[in-house]
Amino acid sequence: MISLAFILKFIVAAVGAGTPLLFGTVGEIMSEKVGHLNLGVEGMMSVGAVAGFAAGYATGNLACAMVFAFLAGMLSALIYAVLTVSFMANQNVIGLTLTIFGIGFANFVGVYMIGRTGTNNWQLPANLIEQMKNVDIPFLSDIPVLGKLLFSYDPFTYVGIAIALACGWYLFRTKAGLNAQAIGENPAAADAASIRVTKWKYINILLGGGICGIGGAYCSMVINGGVWISDCVGGLGWISVALVIFAAWKPQMAILGSFVFGALRILKYYMPAVIPIAFFNMLPFVITAIVLLAASIRGAKGSHIPENLGNNYFREER
Amino acid sequence: MGTAKKEPLLRVVKHAELSTRQSIGLRVLAVVLALAVGGLFIALIGYNPFEIYATIVSGCFRSPMAIQATVKFCIPMCISALGVTLAFKMRFWNIGGEGQLIMGAVFASFFALFCSGMPHLLLLAVMFIAGFVGGGLWGLIPAACREKWGTNETLFTLMLNYIALYIVTFLRDGPWRDPEAAGFNKIARFAPKAMLDKVFGVHAGWIVMLILVVLVFLYLKKTKQGYEIGVVGESRDTARYAGINVRRVVLRTMFLSGGIAGIGGMVQATGSDITLSAGVAGGVGFTGIIIAWLAQLNPFVALIVSFAFSILVKGSSVVQSAYGLSTDCADILQGIILFFIMAMEFFIRYKLVFRGHREKLPVKTAADTDAASGEKEAEEK
């Protein structure tokens, strides 16, 4: 029989597995909303991963690690923004290159640091690992079922949900956010309505990169228990790109979506061994492909994809 | 914005097309700058950049074996770049080279594993065709969906990459698992009959690569179909008015594009890996996109860029053994070089005009617009 405790354990594990996806997805939504398909999520997450890990290693402070991961992610997004917004280079090519560059950079620094520690092991200090443990709030976490369901995750999860809610509020409830969305739909019209196209593109892309960076820090710091491992992002950035479609370009939906995809990621450990593991690994991509297809078959009405996604804007060619 | 109170501080305007020599010079400058930045990074972590660069280059040419290894890296990169070239010429953003390469390898491997009773050359020919068809079909799916329902091809081809990858792991763990493999799952090594022969010490894939370079060049430049690709890429409406069946061109080109990547997969599996592994593509499909774009979709330049990239890949493995630095520096350098060249492309086509700077406005010439439209994404919907 499947017990309540088992279901609870599964949900808690799914949320944890979905947390890095949440950051990547929300970050990518920010960028895609202004019409810039950034395929560099995996790379930005990798850069954030190594920066966050290094900052945590040096300071032993979780907040400091997150801030540095955010800044590093932003910095890598800046490369993308300069080249695609200002220099109007092909977004797909730059994004892919950013991914290759970012992963290479992170692994390179990681190998270099492992060589320098002298222990063949680049490891976070114990007091930092303590900070990353699942929270345990007195009374609240002790409530049966609900306490476990709501108050038993690590700090990253709560930061991620807060960021997702904030981005949702920004994009759909503030004037600046609606303007940003207008840019993704029709930059020429937005420009004519005196929206500062370039400025808001930069702001959104950089914020998106920063958010991805924190997701990367989760991958490097939490997933492997505080030990640096090469390729620690391991494709989660690509799943995030897929998840944007599943979440219909809505940050609030991304919360739900990332936990669903998190559940898909861990499902293989809970299922009988008859079903091949490849099937579970493939599932997020198959589901995304189906969602993408279904949205396009339904036509413009059902599709939330920004109209000018992937197209650069050159003012003199309106 | 004619109503703006203030002129913007910086404006971007096109300038007249530079001569070939000037634009090549600027691109070389971009590479030099990129190497300088990479060198700065190397110096920052306490190594001599000149030594490292010298090791990269000399490491590739120090022995016939090293040269052979370099060429071996070049083959799949170049072939997948050629596949991408066809699609990108049509402004079809095929990010799925990786998946198409894998599916080509899967189709070809089927015959290598289960039909190895055939004579050697016949088997290779069958595998070659299978690889082409496998990759082609994997390219045809997103093209068909895009033509039928307008499905975003960038995102769809991206998903298909991973689906293809996990098809391989599925085959590896289940139906095609080598029963004699102890410990971990793998697919059996191909029979010697299914192996690509070696010519001058490197598997014959390099001959396939060279032939494909010439064929793709001739196809794009000299045939009606190749011309149609260019027209559809410039403007689908123009193509339609000119009586071109756009849907047919897109489907045909994507089949070819995927098919070429599939050939790359077949060559890699039978020539280099001698088995089907999950790492058969190993990111080459993505690198191919970068190469094709750096080469400005010119097959011959793609060959040169691929070779330069394979020098970086092979050379960095030499650097690893000599200095203990990770091979990832190849990826970093590739990235920096592309970033610089893409930035330079901008200055080749446009110039910045500061506020208050008055001069006669540049006249848009036909050649000018041509050059610029290469930069601008086509309107696809």
Side-chain angles (χ1 to χ4, degrees):
Chain A
M1 263 319 283
I2 299 174
S3 65
L4 183 67
F6 179 80
I7 295 174
L8 266 179
K9 201 178 131 214
F10 180 75
I11 292 177
V12 171
V15 170
T19 300
L21 300 174
L22 177 58
F23 286 102
T25 308
V26 172
E28 179 67 4
I29 289 175
M30 291 290 276
S31 179
E32 289 193 16
K33 275 293 183 189
V34 286
H36 280 248
L37 179 65
N38 189 347
L39 296 180
V41 178
E42 181 89 7
M44 297 188 295
M45 284 175 77
S46 299
V47 172
V50 75
F53 197 94
Y57 175 74
T59 64
N61 183 314
L62 182 60
C64 185
M66 281 196 200
V67 168
F68 267 86
F70 184 83
L71 291 178
M74 238 171 149
L75 218 63
S76 55
L78 183 65
I79 302 175
Y80 174 88
V82 168
L83 286 167
T84 58
V85 178
S86 296
F87 290 174
M88 293 175 280
N90 184 294
Q91 295 179 11
N92 299 328
V93 176
I94 298 291
L96 282 174
T97 314
L98 186 57
T99 287
I100 293 172
F101 172 80
I103 297 174
F105 179 79
N107 289 347
F108 187 87
V109 174
V111 169
Y112 177 73
M113 285 307 293
I114 288 172
R116 275 180 47 125
T117 53
T119 54
N120 246 335
N121 204 354
W122 193 23
Q123 206 167 358
L124 292 175
N127 69 325
L128 179 58
I129 293 173
E130 197 59 38
Q131 292 170 51
M132 294 188 305
K133 280 230 174 93
N134 292 351
V135 296
D136 188 18
I137 307 165
F139 305 118
L140 284 179
S141 300
D142 298 332
I143 307 171
V145 185
L146 214 59
K148 194 106 182 79
L149 209 54
L150 295 178
F151 304 106
S152 68
Y153 305 106
D154 61 74
F156 277 97
T157 306
Y158 297 105
V159 171
I161 293 174
I163 288 178
L165 292 176
C167 286
W169 175 78
Y170 158 72
L171 283 172
F172 290 93
R173 292 274 177 274
T174 68
K175 193 168 168 225
L178 292 171
N179 284 347
Q181 291 202 49
I183 294 170
E185 296 296 330
N186 189 339
D191 197 356
S194 76
I195 295 169
R196 304 270 302 273
V197 174
T198 307
K199 176 181 147 192
W200 286 103
K201 276 189 171 184
Y202 266 95
I203 290 176
N204 274 268
I205 294 171
L206 291 190
L207 282 178
I211 295 168
C212 291
I214 304 180
Y218 182 92
C219 299
S220 63
M221 297 169 71
V222 179
I223 292 181
N224 302 316
V227 180
W228 175 263
I229 289 175
S230 278
D231 287 321
C232 56
V233 180
L236 292 178
W238 287 116
I239 300 184
S240 302
V241 175
L243 194 49
V244 172
I245 304 158
F246 185 80
W249 285 269
K250 293 191 181 80
Q252 300 93 322
M253 276 288 285
I255 301 176
L256 185 70
S258 64
F259 298 151
V260 170
F261 274 44
L264 292 180
R265 277 186 64 210
I266 56 162
L267 205 57
K268 57 184 166 214
Y269 306 118
Y270 292 81
M271 282 287 162
V274 249
I275 306 169
I277 288 193
F279 171 76
F280 293 108
N281 289 333
M282 196 196 282
L283 213 51
F285 299 104
V286 172
I287 291 176
T288 307
I290 292 170
V291 169
L292 186 66
L293 266 181
S296 62
I297 291 171
R298 265 184 304 172
K301 250 189 173 172
S303 158
H304 301 273
I305 184 165
E307 186 66 36
N308 257 290
L309 185 61
N311 301 334
N312 289 334
Y313 173 59
F314 183 34
R315 191 184 235 185
E316 316 228 335
E317 257 170 17
R318 262 181 286 183
Chain B
M1 289 222 314
T3 53
K5 281 178 212 140
K6 225 169 34 170
E7 195 187 337
L9 179 64
L10 272 177
R11 257 176 335 118
V12 176
V13 292
K14 280 182 192 141
H15 58 55
E17 210 179 358
L18 300 175
S19 70
T20 320
R21 201 199 243 162
Q22 274 174 315
S23 62
I24 290 179
L26 282 173
R27 289 192 184 104
V28 171
L29 178 69
V31 175
V32 171
L33 283 175
L35 291 179
V37 170
L40 213 65
F41 176 71
I42 295 171
L44 213 68
I45 58 170
Y47 291 87
N48 181 348
F50 295 102
E51 242 174 66
I52 301 274
Y53 283 146
T55 313
I56 287 182
V57 177
S58 66
C60 297
F61 299 103
R62 59 181 171 180
S63 68
M65 253 179 69
I67 299 175
Q68 286 162 7
T70 313
V71 172
K72 225 165 137 183
F73 281 121
C74 180
I75 297 165
M77 285 201 257
C78 181
I79 294 180
S80 67
L82 292 174
V84 166
T85 297
L86 288 181
F88 273 32
K89 202 93 190 177
M90 200 170 60
R91 301 224 180 291
F92 189 99
W93 305 118
N94 174 17
I95 307 296
E98 187 95 355
Q100 290 144 17
L101 194 148
I102 292 174
M103 286 316 272
V106 168
F107 272 52
S109 299
F110 174 81
F111 291 97
L113 291 169
F114 303 109
C115 304
S116 52
M118 279 189 258
H120 176 58
L121 283 179
L122 178 69
L123 179 60
L124 282 185
V126 168
M127 284 166 66
F128 188 85
I129 295 167
F132 181 74
V133 171
L137 289 178
W138 211 242
L140 201 58
I141 298 170
C145 294
R146 148 87 183 266
E147 289 309 303
K148 185 110 179 72
W149 299 300
T151 313
N152 184 310
E153 78 273 19
T154 315
L155 298 172
F156 198 26
T157 48
L158 191 63
M159 297 309 120
L160 288 174
N161 286 340
Y162 288 93
I163 295 173
L165 175 68
Y166 292 119
I167 287 176
V168 174
T169 57
F170 166 71
L171 293 172
R172 181 196 65 194
D173 296 344
W176 290 8
R177 185 176 177 275
D178 182 3
E180 281 155 37
F184 57 96
N185 295 340
K186 66 181 183 68
I187 293 170
R189 200 177 151 85
F190 293 167
K193 250 199 267 178
M195 278 165 60
L196 215 50
D197 300 273
K198 282 194 160 66
V199 184
F200 297 128
V202 187
H203 66 81
W206 66 271
I207 301 175
V208 175
M209 169 182 78
L210 291 182
I211 293 172
L212 280 175
V213 168
V214 175
L215 281 182
V216 170
F217 178 80
L218 292 178
Y219 181 72
L220 284 172
K221 280 271 153 47
K222 300 285 179 203
T223 68
K224 178 166 164 274
Q225 297 191 354
Y227 176 74
E228 286 175 340
I229 293 175
V231 177
V232 171
E234 286 300 320
S235 158
R236 291 170 73 98
D237 288 334
T238 309
R240 210 168 287 122
Y241 289 136
I244 294 173
N245 185 340
V246 175
R247 178 168 295 186
R248 201 174 65 200
V249 172
V250 172
L251 294 181
R252 183 178 65 210
T253 310
M254 267 311 288
F255 185 77
L256 286 177
S257 171
I260 292 174
I263 292 174
M266 175 266 179
V267 163
Q268 184 67 11
T270 62
S272 183
D273 302 348
I274 330 285
T275 182
L276 177 66
S277 74
V280 61
V284 156
F286 294 130
T287 318
I289 292 168
I290 296 174
I291 292 169
W293 200 254
L294 274 179
Q296 307 218 304
L297 307 182
N298 178 323
F300 286 106
V301 184
L303 178 63
I304 297 169
V305 177
S306 311
F307 193 69
F309 271 33
S310 53
I311 289 177
L312 281 180
V313 174
K314 167 71 184 143
S316 61
S317 71
V318 178
V319 167
Q320 181 182 35
S321 50
Y323 296 91
L325 290 176
S326 130
T327 50
D328 297 298
C329 72
D331 291 344
I332 301 179
L333 283 175
Q334 284 172 9
I336 297 178
I337 290 173
L338 184 114
F339 291 146
F340 270 87
I341 290 205
M342 295 297 267
M344 196 53 92
E345 288 303 315
F346 173 79
F347 292 104
I348 288 172
R349 296 201 171 108
Y350 305 95
K351 64 179 171 188
L352 300 173
V353 177
F354 285 92
R355 180 192 294 161
H357 185 81
R358 293 266 162 241
E359 60 167 353
K360 65 177 194 324
L361 284 168
V363 185
K364 247 194 209 176
T365 63
D368 217 322
T369 336
D370 260 11
S373 53
E375 191 79 15
K376 208 187 70 165
E377 319 271 323
E379 290 177 274
E380 284 155 27
K381 278 130 207 172

